[in-house]
Amino acid sequence: MYQEATICALSSPAGTGGVAVIRVSGPEAFSICGKLMGKTDFSSLPSHRAILRKIKDPQKGELLDEALVLPMKGPGTFTGEDTVEIDCHGGMYLCRRILEALIASGCHMAAPGEFTRRAFMNGKMDLTKAEAVMDLIDAGTRYSLKAASSQMEGRLFKEANALRDELIRMLADIEVNIDYPEYDDLPEISENEIQEKTKEILQKVETLLQSADTGMLLRDGLKVSLIGLPNVGKSSLLNRLLKEERAIVTDIPGTTRDVISEKMDLGGIPLKLLDTAGIRETEDVVENIGVERSYKAIRESDLVLLLISVLQGGESLPPEEVRLIESVEDKPYLILVNKVDQLDDPEETVSCVKAWISSRENLPKPLAVLPISAQTGEGIETLEKTIREAFFNEELLENNAPMVTNLRQKEALIRAKEALLRVCAGAGLPEDLLTIDLSEAADAIGDLIGKSARDDVIENIFSRFCLGK
Amino acid sequence: MYQDQGADVVVIGGGHAGCEAALAAARLGFSTILFAISLDSIAQMPCNPSIGGTSKGHLVREVDALGGEMGKNIDKTYIQSRMLNTAKGPAVHSLRAQADKFRYKEEMKRTLERTPNLRVRQNEIVRVDVETDPDDLSERRVIGVETATGAYYPCKRAIICTGTYLNARCIHGEYETFTGPNGSQAARGGLTENLASLGLPLRRFKTGTPARVDGKTLDLDEMTVQNGDPKVVPFSFENTSEEIAREQIPCYLTYTNEETHTVIRQNLHRSPLYGGVIHGVGPRYCPSIEDKVVRFADKERHQLFLEPEGENTLEYYVQGMSSSLPEDVQRDMLRTIPGMHHVEIMRTGYAIEYDCIDPLYLKNTLEIKTIQGLYSAGQFNGSSGYEEAAAQGLIAGLNAVLSLQGKEPVKVDRTNSYIGVLIDDLVTKGTNEPYRMMTSRAEYRLMLRQDNADLRLTEEGHRVGLIPEERYQKFLQKKQMIDQEEARLKVTRGIDEDGHSHGMLSELLKHPEHTYLSLAAWDKERPSLPEEVWQQAEIRIKYEGYIARELQQIEHFHKLEKRQIPADLDYAKIEGLRLEARQKLANIRPTSVGQASRISGVSPADINVLLVYLARLPKEGKQDE
């Protein structure tokens, strides 16, 4: 059922610009955002004044980003509700992590056009824009229909449907005994069976949830920036990667973005290589422009590939390269030592680089240091493997398992999970109370596939049990 | 044509809906006439001799809390009473009583007769007279009714409660009669044709009833005895256990077997249902025994109850054996059952078909959308069951007179009553079979308990005028006592025999192993309170977490319920609505966005589109703020 909850969404277009804006709106916007920012009490801060805050995952305590945060007290906001805008560093991975943390703290993912709709409802928007909102909502529906037909989601829908059926069946087993207590020949579902069955379903929901990161990356592609000093071999590595890729290369059409990306398939993993044009253009230009562009690409990416020149034992990296490493900040990155085909002992060189990096305490640490040859293709497979292991759940990829591919689905599953956990916590309570949370779990999973539970439970009761005067 | 002086309100039909409607109207001071084809059929129970049961018991207590009669009448005439589901949570405890169906009728008729402003008249209504507004031809209103004998009764409001009588046909095997329930005269004098000519969408539903058998031909000792509860909980909040205590009569439990099923299978070709004679839509939840044997072929036995029809009769109702097979087959199959080998049938079971309305054609006040002043209730609205009928009758009767008083309709909705769930389901979702109330239909089940029906509805019963001042004051007192005890438990520590504190009593109560009674020893200062008072305090504390969540959901529910949709909204003009949603919305015409969201085929995206559209309407937009 529709509820006037607190909603969140990325409100800048996905993947553009160096800064992404996440907007949170609704009655609990302040309290929810506060949880992510060291318990900041927004209601006591002046409205409409930006502050700098560290954003942490409230569950894991992990630092996600440092961002400019703008709390705005309703009704003087776009939606008319209390609103918080978080200007975080771009990059889908980071944005997603922040949105997930918001959802885990009680936000709902905004439906298409919902901010605008709320703005209307609260008399915040001029009426001539109404048609545009209709279009937006309509487009959203069309998009989700299209998404639903894709194969990956097809499997997810099937799995969600099966889980929901299990819940409905269990609800019917409980409800039939509540509504027909005078029948002594109805199968009674015991408290133990309810708990066991719930745990079983909970586990399946959790497996689906674990697939979410991989699934979303598979859908959107992992954003990768390739950086390095001029003449370090970026261009030839790019060509090598594009030669290696085994699927279609797509230019994102019609964009006027200054960072152009190319989508590629690296051993079954979709990568989105950022600023491929920049890599080509700046390779031969001995200018600072290249470095500036690199910074921009880094901010937008989920993973940074830093290509460096060969380092001999005892040498330091040149200060330009050190600056590049520093600019990576907290992004996951890989150091690729290029032209290893020209070396006698690549292993030695790699450990040399590793040793040097770990000796410099102030520098962010790479996920790995890999030897590579853009010329011969040596090391590309190891690169593939390293990326897969770091970002994708190997098991899911192998088994063709159903996967969660967007945040709306993930949110529905989180709601289901929480409801099922409450069923487990309620062990010992009368079963008609447990049905409250079982129905909620069925409804949450039903949201994935657009079905509501109540009538189906009754249908299930009458199709399976023999009742009546 | 003979012309009577008429009345403010005319009720067509004297069943459970008609009785409540007529009593409510008359008690609020409006002149009322109740018409029944036979006065001997007033408040008749042509099917099972019981009132209440899961969710239906809730309805009866709600009817009572609003000032209706059913609860009081069954308290006067019950012969056995049980609280069902006591092993489960308080939300699904359900009261069920066996009635002496003869005394039930008699008592109800007596109450009707003694009610001022109410005339009871035996006659069949064959025409509802409707006047069209000369200034606005789309506006029609009720102005009178006409009887089969040609008499005309002017009226301001009419309530159709024809039950299973309208154009009824009864079938047992090859034999069919155009009679109403229990062999009574059907309403075949022209009302069906008249309502159809007024544009009401009529449909045909089907239900059935089992045979009644002669008690002296039963071997009751071959069956399992089922007794009533030692301490009886009254249906009416006006009564106490002690006041209504009386000796109870048992029911008996037995089972069909393979032999029974063989008899049925061998005679299926003689069943009107399987032979294609019956076309009406029958209920899923009350299949005939032949349906059960066909649909659940691998089931070895079906459970049966023998329920006495009254104190002064030997007739027993065979619950579980509803059938429209020929009478010889009914006899043969009954004689295969333990305890019934020599049974003699007194009344044959039968299937009955009748005319009713598509309830989507009703407002949630139970007024017919297209004819002002014409209301309907009970089985005519597509429901099934005495309790469902009584609940609707009460609401239709009240709303009819409230509209005459220029007052707001009775406030019942999904969050305050099963009555609200029942009516909202009927008028929003419609039904393709006789609708039976079930606890699983209520989404706020924990709040809608049978034990707190008075707390939920007495206030409203008092507002509309059916709850007398004295009862209301008593109710307020009880409410205050509950609040006080709840507050006391939250600030009082549980101290054991050795003087150790175990924390607040309210915290202790939340553990499943503790109850209010079991904590008595640790609660020395406990005041002496009536059970219905401490029980409420206990439930509120024990299930506080769940109750709080349900209350939160209820709050959200009300937000959407408050967003009104203008009655004349042109859905064709709303761009972005999907075709299915557009058609459904235009057809059902929900009064609020909340109601719209419950229509099957209307998606959350459609609701968003609707909300945006409504916000654009200048007047509505301002009301929102």
Side-chain angles (χ1 to χ4, degrees), chain A residues 72-87:
Chain A
M72 293 172 283
K73 187 117 193 72
T77 61
F78 176 75
T79 57
E81 302 171 325
D82 286 355
T83 301
V84 178
E85 281 189 4
I86 305 169
D87 294 6

Side-chain angles (χ1 to χ4, degrees), chain A residues 117 121 130-131 175 178-179 182 184-185 422 431-433 435 437 454 459 462 465-469, chain B residues 47 54 85 89 208 255 284-287 292 295 299 303 320 439-440 445 543 549 608 612 616 625:
Chain A
R117 198 215 12 101
M121 303 314 302
E131 295 303 329
E175 296 289 352
I178 290 174
D179 269 315
E182 60 270 45
D184 60 8
D185 53 353
R422 283 196 297 269
E431 63 241 45
D432 57 286
L433 288 177
T435 61
D437 287 313
R454 199 154 298 276
E459 186 72 47
F462 291 124
F465 303 107
C466 181
L467 309 157
K469 58 191 175 189
Chain B
C47 201
T54 52
N85 274 339
Y255 297 91
R284 284 176 299 181
Y285 51 80
C286 132
K292 294 183 194 176
R295 284 184 53 212
K299 218 166 163 283
Q303 185 177 322
T439 69
S440 24
R445 186 160 70 187
Y543 306 110
R549 270 172 50 217
N608 263 341
V612 170
R616 293 165 71 191
E625 287 311 304

Side-chain angles (χ1 to χ4, degrees), chain A residues 54 128 137 284 326 339 342 349 357 366-367 407 433 452:
Chain A
K54 286 202 170 67
T128 53
I137 293 166
D284 303 316
E326 280 167 351
K339 299 178 188 168
Q342 296 170 16
T349 311
I357 287 277
L367 297 173
L407 271 181
L433 288 177
S452 99

